[in-house]
Amino acid sequence: MTDLLVVGSGFFGLTVADRCARELGLQVQVIDRRPHIGGNAYSAAEPTTGIEVHQYGAHLFHTSNQRVWEYARRFTSFTSYQHRVFTTYRGEVFSMPINLGTINQYNRSAFTPDEARAWVAEQAAKLTGEPSNLEEKAISLIGEPLYEAFIKGYTAKQWQTDPRELSADIISRLPVRYTYDNRYFSDTFEGLPTDGYTAWLERMADHPNITVTLDTDFFDTSQPFNKANVVGQVPVLYTGPVDRYFDFAHGDLSWRTLDFETEVLPTGDFQGAPVMNYADEDVPYTRIHEFRHFHPERDYPDDATVIMREFSRFADHADEPYYPVNTAQDRERLLAYRELAKGERDVVFGGRLGTYQYLDMHMAIGSALSTYDNKLAPFFSSGQALD
Ligand code: FDA
């Protein structure tokens, strides 16, 4: 007998499945339409080199949430990896996010922190009046030179749209560091799972009360755990797209997707860093990942490497939804879907697709732990309503 159906085996679904099985002793059935566990955090060894490749884009784990960090470490240890990113602009490599090193290299200068701050403020002050689009907003924050070099082309490629046609409220701040610190994240805890993401995700599901069935779509009426059969009969945690659940009744929520081109190259080191951004607009991809650099501690071959070029575009129905676009129309539609969701008996919506929200992994895990604490545990332990 199934006590809970979890739709989606990403971090959100597996965290809830783990808590309900291990804490409450419930029988949990997890289904996923993909042929593998783990949602977008899934990774697999490239067969000829053994290099771990993050199939849905690079995944770096970082958090300042002590509870999430302790919870994650029940299933995996972490390496001491610290993320750093570089960007190529007009044939020169700069360090990102923009820091004192980036500013001094750009200006061929030796500014002190105060001098750099004054230079950026002077450039930013050249834009007067209320910014009316993303370009003006960015210039008002960091000035035209840094915007033109590091933001303009990259943003245009990310959105496939001229930044002058993008809304100013897409960005509220652009981080500039007036030190030489080029660590990408400033969280308390950071690292990569020692045995890889898939080993971590599989350990979460490794419990006699948890059954995972792959290649199984919740909307496929030929399989037993489909929406029509299950809703109202068995409590459901749904982590798929919320608009799909309601058959797009209020229209599509818009997403950006990514296309990846993976290549094995006959060199031990292609770019000397895990991630290289490409700021020039005439380079079609936004960045290149070189996966061996995520695990310098591993014994990878020294004559081969795996790189992945990333291209960004708007998604349609057939594409993997990656980043919510979040226009005013999307926000309106989301509210309408939330109203519909309230009427679904014993169905909880969660995760990045179920709530139409970009969530980092630590946020997905944290939000799943809260959903368990506030909704599922009270429902199963004391019969409180699931809403
Ligand atoms: P997730 O998408 O992982 O899982 C949902 C699952 O539901 C999927 O497996 C899907 O197949 C399944 N599903 C959907 N519809 C279904 C249906 N009808 N029937 C059955 N199954 C269905 N985070 C971070 O901390 N550091 C990072 O560096 C990155 N990097 C990154 C890069 C890119 C390109 C993206 C898009 C995202 C990241 N993330 C990240 C975010 C990370 O991927 C995210 O936090 C987790 O995927 C969230 O887990 P969820 O379980 O919510 O969704």
Side-chain angles (χ1 to χ4, degrees):
M1 203 200 81
T2 299
D3 298 311
L4 173 69
L5 175 69
V6 171
V7 180
S9 65
F11 270 117
F12 197 101
L14 289 184
T15 301
V16 167
D18 155 61
R19 293 295 72 205
C20 288
R22 288 187 175 83
E23 286 293 310
L24 303 180
L26 301 178
Q27 294 293 332
V28 183
Q29 170 70 54
V30 179
I31 60 168
D32 203 297
R33 66 177 176 186
R34 287 176 174 168
H36 60 73
I37 198 171
N40 276 7
Y42 170 74
S43 67
E46 189 286 320
T48 62
T49 59
I51 294 173
E52 181 185 349
V53 172
H54 305 168
Q55 309 278 328
Y56 300 93
H59 277 65
L60 296 317
F61 190 77
H62 55 98
T63 184
S64 295
N65 183 326
Q66 183 84 34
R67 183 184 185 201
V68 168
W69 180 241
E70 278 165 20
Y71 176 73
R73 286 190 306 151
R74 291 183 190 184
F75 305 101
T76 182
S77 56
F78 287 89
T79 67
S80 55
Y81 177 83
Q82 294 186 338
H83 197 44
R84 287 186 171 78
V85 171
F86 296 86
T87 194
T88 297
Y89 169 65
R90 294 195 181 163
E92 213 178 318
V93 175
F94 295 85
S95 116
M96 295 296 278
I98 297 169
N99 61 69
L100 193 50
T102 323
I103 294 170
N104 274 330
Q105 184 181 349
Y106 178 85
N107 284 307
R108 298 282 191 280
S109 60
F111 288 156
T112 64
D114 283 347
E115 287 166 347
R117 213 175 261 119
W119 178 75
V120 170
E122 185 191 325
Q123 300 304 323
K126 288 183 185 167
L127 191 124
T128 50
E130 199 53 33
S132 64
N133 56 48
L134 187 145
E135 175 162 302
E136 289 180 6
K137 181 71 176 283
I139 293 174
S140 76
L141 293 167
I142 61 170
E144 193 162 356
L146 295 178
Y147 164 74
E148 289 280 335
F150 303 117
I151 309 295
K152 185 180 181 178
Y154 194 83
T155 306
K157 288 191 288 186
Q158 266 187 320
W159 291 91
Q160 298 275 286
T161 307
D162 186 320
R164 284 169 297 191
E165 286 161 27
L166 290 169
S167 159
D169 57 74
I170 287 178
I171 47 170
S172 53
R173 53 186 288 274
L174 284 171
V176 176
R177 289 189 196 147
Y178 296 99
T179 67
Y180 290 96
D181 175 11
N182 68 345
R183 265 187 74 177
Y184 198 76
F185 301 115
S186 45
D187 277 313
T188 317
F189 310 108
E190 183 179 354
L192 289 173
T194 312
D195 309 318
Y197 281 100
T198 299
W200 171 7
L201 291 149
E202 280 173 348
R203 283 180 207 134
M204 293 179 80
D206 184 16
H207 188 275
N209 288 11
I210 301 178
T211 308
V212 180
T213 311
L214 302 173
D215 288 312
T216 301
D217 193 313
F218 187 51
F219 303 104
D220 174 0
T221 49
S222 70
Q223 65 85 18
F225 297 105
N226 70 69
K227 182 183 170 194
N229 270 0
V230 170
V231 172
Q233 308 297 318
V234 177
V236 176
L237 172 81
Y238 175 80
T239 71
V242 61
D243 51 357
R244 171 69 188 93
Y245 184 98
F246 294 106
D247 218 6
F248 306 103
H250 291 290
D252 286 24
L253 295 170
S254 50
W255 293 84
R256 280 191 300 122
T257 192
L258 300 174
D259 297 312
F260 299 111
E261 261 179 31
T262 305
E263 207 180 337
V264 179
L265 297 173
T267 171
D269 199 347
F270 171 75
Q271 63 186 16
V275 180
M276 179 66 71
N277 290 354
Y278 285 84
D280 298 292
E281 215 172 331
D282 55 358
V283 177
Y285 37 87
T286 48
R287 47 188 179 169
I288 297 183
H289 308 279
E290 186 177 12
F291 287 99
R292 64 178 308 120
H293 293 295
F294 289 129
H295 288 282
E297 79 287 358
R298 287 187 188 166
D299 192 16
Y300 284 148
D302 52 18
D303 59 353
T305 196
V306 183
I307 63 162
M308 191 164 91
R309 294 185 185 83
E310 186 175 306
F311 303 80
S312 179
R313 62 180 169 80
F314 284 99
D316 63 32
H317 269 342
D319 295 313
E320 286 294 343
Y322 280 146
Y323 299 106
V325 176
N326 216 359
T327 59
Q329 185 185 54
D330 289 324
R331 289 193 287 272
E332 238 171 66
R333 289 178 176 177
L334 180 61
L335 290 178
Y337 284 123
R338 281 194 191 144
E339 275 309 306
L340 287 180
K342 282 185 196 157
E344 284 299 286
R345 203 179 124 210
D346 293 351
V347 181
V348 174
F349 292 79
R352 62 182 198 97
L353 301 167
T355 58
Y356 189 64
Q357 243 185 321
Y358 179 80
L359 297 174
D360 267 331
M361 292 177 281
H362 66 280
M363 296 156 87
I365 295 170
S367 161
L369 290 172
S370 303
T371 299
Y372 169 78
D373 288 347
N374 301 330
K375 293 187 174 171
L376 294 156
F379 171 78
F380 285 110
S381 314
S382 52
Q384 201 172 296
L386 259 189
D387 53 22

